[in-house]
mmCIF file of all heavy atoms in Angstrom:
data_model
loop_
_atom_site.group_PDB
_atom_site.id
_atom_site.type_symbol
_atom_site.label_atom_id
_atom_site.label_comp_id
_atom_site.label_asym_id
_atom_site.label_seq_id
_atom_site.Cartn_x
_atom_site.Cartn_y
_atom_site.Cartn_z
ATOM 1 N N LYS T 105 -38.904 21.801 -1.368
ATOM 2 C CA LYS T 105 -40.022 21.637 -0.427
ATOM 3 C C LYS T 105 -40.359 20.168 -0.185
ATOM 4 O O LYS T 105 -41.502 19.809 0.073
ATOM 5 C CB LYS T 105 -41.267 22.409 -0.898
ATOM 6 C CG LYS T 105 -40.996 23.901 -1.124
ATOM 7 C CD LYS T 105 -42.215 24.618 -1.651
ATOM 8 C CE LYS T 105 -41.915 26.071 -1.966
ATOM 9 N NZ LYS T 105 -40.958 26.225 -3.070
ATOM 10 N N TYR T 107 -39.646 16.849 2.240
ATOM 11 C CA TYR T 107 -39.215 16.573 3.606
ATOM 12 C C TYR T 107 -37.921 15.753 3.603
ATOM 13 O O TYR T 107 -37.806 14.736 2.909
ATOM 14 C CB TYR T 107 -40.292 15.809 4.363
ATOM 15 C CG TYR T 107 -41.461 16.692 4.784
ATOM 16 C CD1 TYR T 107 -42.709 16.562 4.195
ATOM 17 C CD2 TYR T 107 -41.295 17.657 5.775
ATOM 18 C CE1 TYR T 107 -43.773 17.362 4.572
ATOM 19 C CE2 TYR T 107 -42.347 18.473 6.155
ATOM 20 C CZ TYR T 107 -43.584 18.321 5.556
ATOM 21 O OH TYR T 107 -44.623 19.136 5.935
ATOM 22 N N ALA T 127 -44.130 18.570 0.494
ATOM 23 C CA ALA T 127 -45.056 19.057 1.532
ATOM 24 C C ALA T 127 -46.481 19.173 1.015
ATOM 25 O O ALA T 127 -47.448 18.946 1.748
ATOM 26 C CB ALA T 127 -44.569 20.408 2.067
ATOM 27 N N ALA T 128 -46.620 19.507 -0.272
ATOM 28 C CA ALA T 128 -47.948 19.698 -0.858
ATOM 29 C C ALA T 128 -48.798 18.430 -0.813
ATOM 30 O O ALA T 128 -50.030 18.505 -0.908
ATOM 31 C CB ALA T 128 -47.823 20.198 -2.295
ATOM 32 N N PHE T 130 -49.576 16.797 1.586
ATOM 33 C CA PHE T 130 -50.356 16.750 2.824
ATOM 34 C C PHE T 130 -51.292 17.955 2.974
ATOM 35 O O PHE T 130 -52.016 18.039 3.964
ATOM 36 C CB PHE T 130 -49.414 16.668 4.029
ATOM 37 C CG PHE T 130 -48.474 15.498 3.959
ATOM 38 C CD1 PHE T 130 -47.199 15.644 3.429
ATOM 39 C CD2 PHE T 130 -48.875 14.239 4.382
ATOM 40 C CE1 PHE T 130 -46.327 14.566 3.354
ATOM 41 C CE2 PHE T 130 -48.008 13.144 4.314
ATOM 42 C CZ PHE T 130 -46.737 13.310 3.793
ATOM 43 N N PHE T 131 -51.264 18.873 1.998
ATOM 44 C CA PHE T 131 -52.145 20.041 2.071
ATOM 45 C C PHE T 131 -53.591 19.629 1.840
ATOM 46 O O PHE T 131 -53.883 18.668 1.142
ATOM 47 C CB PHE T 131 -51.757 21.094 1.032
ATOM 48 C CG PHE T 131 -50.397 21.722 1.262
ATOM 49 C CD1 PHE T 131 -49.791 22.475 0.256
ATOM 50 C CD2 PHE T 131 -49.728 21.551 2.454
ATOM 51 C CE1 PHE T 131 -48.547 23.039 0.456
ATOM 52 C CE2 PHE T 131 -48.476 22.114 2.664
ATOM 53 C CZ PHE T 131 -47.886 22.860 1.662
ATOM 54 N N HIS T 132 -54.502 20.410 2.401
ATOM 55 C CA HIS T 132 -55.933 20.180 2.191
ATOM 56 C C HIS T 132 -56.599 21.503 1.846
ATOM 57 O O HIS T 132 -56.298 22.544 2.417
ATOM 58 C CB HIS T 132 -56.589 19.587 3.449
ATOM 59 C CG HIS T 132 -58.085 19.447 3.339
ATOM 60 N ND1 HIS T 132 -58.672 18.441 2.617
ATOM 61 C CD2 HIS T 132 -59.093 20.205 3.836
ATOM 62 C CE1 HIS T 132 -59.986 18.565 2.691
ATOM 63 N NE2 HIS T 132 -60.264 19.624 3.420
ATOM 64 N N GLY T 133 -57.541 21.441 0.919
ATOM 65 C CA GLY T 133 -58.268 22.657 0.547
ATOM 66 C C GLY T 133 -57.591 23.407 -0.574
ATOM 67 O O GLY T 133 -56.609 22.952 -1.173
ATOM 68 N N ASN T 134 -58.122 24.597 -0.822
ATOM 69 C CA ASN T 134 -57.656 25.393 -1.961
ATOM 70 C C ASN T 134 -56.641 26.464 -1.577
ATOM 71 O O ASN T 134 -56.305 27.321 -2.392
ATOM 72 C CB ASN T 134 -58.851 26.059 -2.652
ATOM 73 C CG ASN T 134 -59.820 25.022 -3.223
ATOM 74 O OD1 ASN T 134 -59.390 23.998 -3.751
ATOM 75 N ND2 ASN T 134 -61.115 25.290 -3.098
ATOM 76 N N GLU T 135 -56.196 26.444 -0.315
ATOM 77 C CA GLU T 135 -55.220 27.449 0.098
ATOM 78 C C GLU T 135 -53.901 27.248 -0.651
ATOM 79 O O GLU T 135 -53.436 26.122 -0.816
ATOM 80 C CB GLU T 135 -54.941 27.323 1.602
ATOM 81 C CG GLU T 135 -56.082 27.738 2.494
ATOM 82 C CD GLU T 135 -55.677 27.630 3.960
ATOM 83 O OE1 GLU T 135 -55.669 26.504 4.484
ATOM 84 O OE2 GLU T 135 -55.347 28.668 4.545
ATOM 85 N N ASP T 136 -53.322 28.355 -1.079
ATOM 86 C CA ASP T 136 -52.022 28.277 -1.741
ATOM 87 C C ASP T 136 -50.939 28.502 -0.682
ATOM 88 O O ASP T 136 -50.445 29.617 -0.478
ATOM 89 C CB ASP T 136 -51.926 29.333 -2.846
ATOM 90 C CG ASP T 136 -50.716 29.085 -3.742
ATOM 91 O OD1 ASP T 136 -49.844 28.274 -3.356
ATOM 92 O OD2 ASP T 136 -50.638 29.707 -4.814
ATOM 93 N N ILE T 137 -50.566 27.419 0.005
ATOM 94 C CA ILE T 137 -49.592 27.513 1.089
ATOM 95 C C ILE T 137 -48.220 27.902 0.549
ATOM 96 O O ILE T 137 -47.478 28.658 1.189
ATOM 97 C CB ILE T 137 -49.512 26.189 1.871
ATOM 98 C CG1 ILE T 137 -50.903 25.787 2.379
ATOM 99 C CG2 ILE T 137 -48.542 26.312 3.042
ATOM 100 C CD1 ILE T 137 -51.552 26.814 3.261
ATOM 101 N N TYR T 138 -47.887 27.380 -0.621
ATOM 102 C CA TYR T 138 -46.582 27.716 -1.198
ATOM 103 C C TYR T 138 -46.441 29.223 -1.419
ATOM 104 O O TYR T 138 -45.356 29.787 -1.247
ATOM 105 C CB TYR T 138 -46.385 26.977 -2.518
ATOM 106 C CG TYR T 138 -45.966 25.525 -2.351
ATOM 107 C CD1 TYR T 138 -45.904 24.664 -3.448
ATOM 108 C CD2 TYR T 138 -45.611 25.023 -1.106
ATOM 109 C CE1 TYR T 138 -45.515 23.335 -3.300
ATOM 110 C CE2 TYR T 138 -45.226 23.704 -0.953
ATOM 111 C CZ TYR T 138 -45.182 22.861 -2.047
ATOM 112 O OH TYR T 138 -44.792 21.553 -1.891
ATOM 113 N N GLU T 139 -47.530 29.857 -1.807
ATOM 114 C CA GLU T 139 -47.477 31.312 -2.003
ATOM 115 C C GLU T 139 -47.244 32.020 -0.667
ATOM 116 O O GLU T 139 -46.518 33.009 -0.593
ATOM 117 C CB GLU T 139 -48.784 31.798 -2.634
ATOM 118 C CG GLU T 139 -48.787 33.304 -2.922
ATOM 119 C CD GLU T 139 -50.079 33.770 -3.581
ATOM 120 O OE1 GLU T 139 -50.880 32.907 -3.994
ATOM 121 O OE2 GLU T 139 -50.267 34.993 -3.675
ATOM 122 N N LYS T 140 -47.863 31.495 0.405
ATOM 123 C CA LYS T 140 -47.716 32.114 1.718
ATOM 124 C C LYS T 140 -46.299 31.980 2.256
ATOM 125 O O LYS T 140 -45.805 32.876 2.954
ATOM 126 C CB LYS T 140 -48.707 31.494 2.706
ATOM 127 C CG LYS T 140 -50.165 31.828 2.412
ATOM 128 C CD LYS T 140 -51.084 31.216 3.459
ATOM 129 C CE LYS T 140 -52.538 31.589 3.190
ATOM 130 N NZ LYS T 140 -53.463 31.008 4.200
ATOM 131 N N VAL T 141 -45.628 30.850 1.943
ATOM 132 C CA VAL T 141 -44.275 30.634 2.464
ATOM 133 C C VAL T 141 -43.198 31.058 1.464
ATOM 134 O O VAL T 141 -42.004 30.904 1.742
ATOM 135 C CB VAL T 141 -44.054 29.157 2.867
ATOM 136 C CG1 VAL T 141 -45.025 28.755 3.963
ATOM 137 C CG2 VAL T 141 -44.164 28.227 1.663
ATOM 138 N N SER T 142 -43.597 31.575 0.328
ATOM 139 C CA SER T 142 -42.623 31.959 -0.702
ATOM 140 C C SER T 142 -41.570 32.956 -0.209
ATOM 141 O O SER T 142 -40.416 32.883 -0.655
ATOM 142 C CB SER T 142 -43.341 32.517 -1.943
ATOM 143 O OG SER T 142 -44.093 33.679 -1.615
ATOM 144 N N PRO T 143 -41.919 33.907 0.721
ATOM 145 C CA PRO T 143 -40.867 34.817 1.201
ATOM 146 C C PRO T 143 -39.701 34.101 1.874
ATOM 147 O O PRO T 143 -38.573 34.611 1.862
ATOM 148 C CB PRO T 143 -41.614 35.719 2.201
ATOM 149 C CG PRO T 143 -43.036 35.708 1.726
ATOM 150 C CD PRO T 143 -43.248 34.317 1.224
ATOM 151 N N ILE T 144 -39.939 32.913 2.451
ATOM 152 C CA ILE T 144 -38.847 32.139 3.055
ATOM 153 C C ILE T 144 -37.908 31.617 1.979
ATOM 154 O O ILE T 144 -36.675 31.722 2.076
ATOM 155 C CB ILE T 144 -39.418 30.949 3.870
ATOM 156 C CG1 ILE T 144 -40.004 31.446 5.198
ATOM 157 C CG2 ILE T 144 -38.360 29.881 4.123
ATOM 158 C CD1 ILE T 144 -38.986 31.766 6.259
ATOM 159 N N PHE T 145 -38.488 31.076 0.913
ATOM 160 C CA PHE T 145 -37.675 30.432 -0.133
ATOM 161 C C PHE T 145 -37.082 31.433 -1.128
ATOM 162 O O PHE T 145 -36.169 31.091 -1.866
ATOM 163 C CB PHE T 145 -38.504 29.374 -0.859
ATOM 164 C CG PHE T 145 -38.836 28.200 0.008
ATOM 165 C CD1 PHE T 145 -39.998 28.177 0.773
ATOM 166 C CD2 PHE T 145 -37.973 27.115 0.098
ATOM 167 C CE1 PHE T 145 -40.291 27.100 1.590
ATOM 168 C CE2 PHE T 145 -38.264 26.033 0.911
ATOM 169 C CZ PHE T 145 -39.425 26.026 1.663
ATOM 170 N N LEU T 152 -41.191 33.067 9.391
ATOM 171 C CA LEU T 152 -42.561 33.249 8.878
ATOM 172 C C LEU T 152 -43.515 32.350 9.652
ATOM 173 O O LEU T 152 -43.159 31.243 10.057
ATOM 174 C CB LEU T 152 -42.611 32.887 7.390
ATOM 175 C CG LEU T 152 -43.896 33.231 6.630
ATOM 176 C CD1 LEU T 152 -44.047 34.734 6.501
ATOM 177 C CD2 LEU T 152 -43.878 32.590 5.247
ATOM 178 N N HIS T 153 -44.730 32.856 9.858
ATOM 179 C CA HIS T 153 -45.784 32.054 10.507
ATOM 180 C C HIS T 153 -46.924 31.845 9.522
ATOM 181 O O HIS T 153 -47.329 32.772 8.812
ATOM 182 C CB HIS T 153 -46.321 32.763 11.752
ATOM 183 C CG HIS T 153 -47.486 32.047 12.378
ATOM 184 N ND1 HIS T 153 -47.320 30.995 13.251
ATOM 185 C CD2 HIS T 153 -48.828 32.202 12.227
ATOM 186 C CE1 HIS T 153 -48.500 30.545 13.621
ATOM 187 N NE2 HIS T 153 -49.445 31.253 13.013
ATOM 188 N N VAL T 154 -47.448 30.626 9.504
ATOM 189 C CA VAL T 154 -48.571 30.332 8.614
ATOM 190 C C VAL T 154 -49.408 29.206 9.228
ATOM 191 O O VAL T 154 -48.877 28.277 9.837
ATOM 192 C CB VAL T 154 -48.078 29.932 7.200
ATOM 193 C CG1 VAL T 154 -47.253 28.661 7.251
ATOM 194 C CG2 VAL T 154 -49.247 29.771 6.245
ATOM 195 N N ASP T 155 -50.722 29.315 9.097
ATOM 196 C CA ASP T 155 -51.642 28.254 9.517
ATOM 197 C C ASP T 155 -52.165 27.548 8.273
ATOM 198 O O ASP T 155 -52.499 28.202 7.276
ATOM 199 C CB ASP T 155 -52.833 28.823 10.300
ATOM 200 C CG ASP T 155 -52.411 29.429 11.628
ATOM 201 O OD1 ASP T 155 -51.330 29.078 12.109
ATOM 202 O OD2 ASP T 155 -53.170 30.259 12.183
ATOM 203 N N SER T 156 -52.232 26.220 8.335
ATOM 204 C CA SER T 156 -52.719 25.492 7.163
ATOM 205 C C SER T 156 -53.411 24.200 7.591
ATOM 206 O O SER T 156 -53.028 23.559 8.577
ATOM 207 C CB SER T 156 -51.572 25.168 6.201
ATOM 208 O OG SER T 156 -50.690 24.230 6.783
ATOM 209 N N TRP T 157 -54.448 23.861 6.808
ATOM 210 C CA TRP T 157 -55.147 22.590 7.028
ATOM 211 C C TRP T 157 -54.372 21.482 6.322
ATOM 212 O O TRP T 157 -54.046 21.603 5.141
ATOM 213 C CB TRP T 157 -56.569 22.675 6.470
ATOM 214 C CG TRP T 157 -57.464 23.600 7.254
ATOM 215 C CD1 TRP T 157 -57.739 24.897 6.983
ATOM 216 C CD2 TRP T 157 -58.171 23.286 8.457
ATOM 217 N NE1 TRP T 157 -58.583 25.425 7.931
ATOM 218 C CE2 TRP T 157 -58.874 24.454 8.854
ATOM 219 C CE3 TRP T 157 -58.290 22.127 9.239
ATOM 220 C CZ2 TRP T 157 -59.682 24.498 9.995
ATOM 221 C CZ3 TRP T 157 -59.095 22.175 10.373
ATOM 222 C CH2 TRP T 157 -59.771 23.342 10.739
ATOM 223 N N GLN T 158 -54.071 20.402 7.055
ATOM 224 C CA GLN T 158 -53.265 19.335 6.483
ATOM 225 C C GLN T 158 -53.842 17.967 6.858
ATOM 226 O O GLN T 158 -54.527 17.815 7.874
ATOM 227 C CB GLN T 158 -51.817 19.450 6.950
ATOM 228 C CG GLN T 158 -51.202 20.798 6.573
ATOM 229 C CD GLN T 158 -49.715 20.738 6.395
ATOM 230 O OE1 GLN T 158 -49.081 19.701 6.527
ATOM 231 N NE2 GLN T 158 -49.119 21.879 6.073
ATOM 232 N N LEU T 167 -55.776 21.376 11.638
ATOM 233 C CA LEU T 167 -55.211 22.703 11.416
ATOM 234 C C LEU T 167 -53.876 22.799 12.147
ATOM 235 O O LEU T 167 -53.818 22.675 13.369
ATOM 236 C CB LEU T 167 -56.177 23.785 11.927
ATOM 237 C CG LEU T 167 -55.723 25.238 11.718
ATOM 238 C CD1 LEU T 167 -55.530 25.554 10.239
ATOM 239 C CD2 LEU T 167 -56.720 26.203 12.352
ATOM 240 N N LEU T 168 -52.805 23.022 11.373
ATOM 241 C CA LEU T 168 -51.466 23.135 11.942
ATOM 242 C C LEU T 168 -51.008 24.587 11.891
ATOM 243 O O LEU T 168 -51.179 25.283 10.889
ATOM 244 C CB LEU T 168 -50.479 22.260 11.175
ATOM 245 C CG LEU T 168 -50.757 20.751 11.151
ATOM 246 C CD1 LEU T 168 -49.624 20.029 10.426
ATOM 247 C CD2 LEU T 168 -50.942 20.202 12.559
ATOM 248 N N TRP T 170 -47.792 26.710 11.836
ATOM 249 C CA TRP T 170 -46.369 26.528 11.533
ATOM 250 C C TRP T 170 -45.558 27.793 11.819
ATOM 251 O O TRP T 170 -45.978 28.908 11.481
ATOM 252 C CB TRP T 170 -46.183 26.187 10.060
ATOM 253 C CG TRP T 170 -46.668 24.841 9.644
ATOM 254 C CD1 TRP T 170 -47.894 24.519 9.157
ATOM 255 C CD2 TRP T 170 -45.928 23.609 9.675
ATOM 256 N NE1 TRP T 170 -47.975 23.181 8.875
ATOM 257 C CE2 TRP T 170 -46.771 22.591 9.185
ATOM 258 C CE3 TRP T 170 -44.631 23.280 10.069
ATOM 259 C CZ2 TRP T 170 -46.371 21.271 9.075
ATOM 260 C CZ3 TRP T 170 -44.224 21.956 9.961
ATOM 261 C CH2 TRP T 170 -45.087 20.967 9.469
ATOM 262 N N CYS T 172 -41.862 28.908 10.654
ATOM 263 C CA CYS T 172 -40.830 28.482 9.703
ATOM 264 C C CYS T 172 -39.617 29.411 9.756
ATOM 265 O O CYS T 172 -39.770 30.635 9.866
ATOM 266 C CB CYS T 172 -41.385 28.475 8.280
ATOM 267 S SG CYS T 172 -42.974 27.638 8.101
#
Side-chain angles (χ1 to χ4, degrees):
K105 304 177 184 66
Y107 284 110
F130 304 94
F131 294 166
H132 175 77
N134 297 321
E135 290 182 282
D136 192 347
I137 305 302
Y138 280 172
E139 182 179 349
K140 292 182 178 180
V141 299
S142 61
I144 284 283
F145 292 90
L152 190 68
H153 175 83
V154 63
D155 294 339
S156 68
W157 291 96
Q158 302 208 1
L167 182 60
L168 299 184
W170 290 92
C172 312

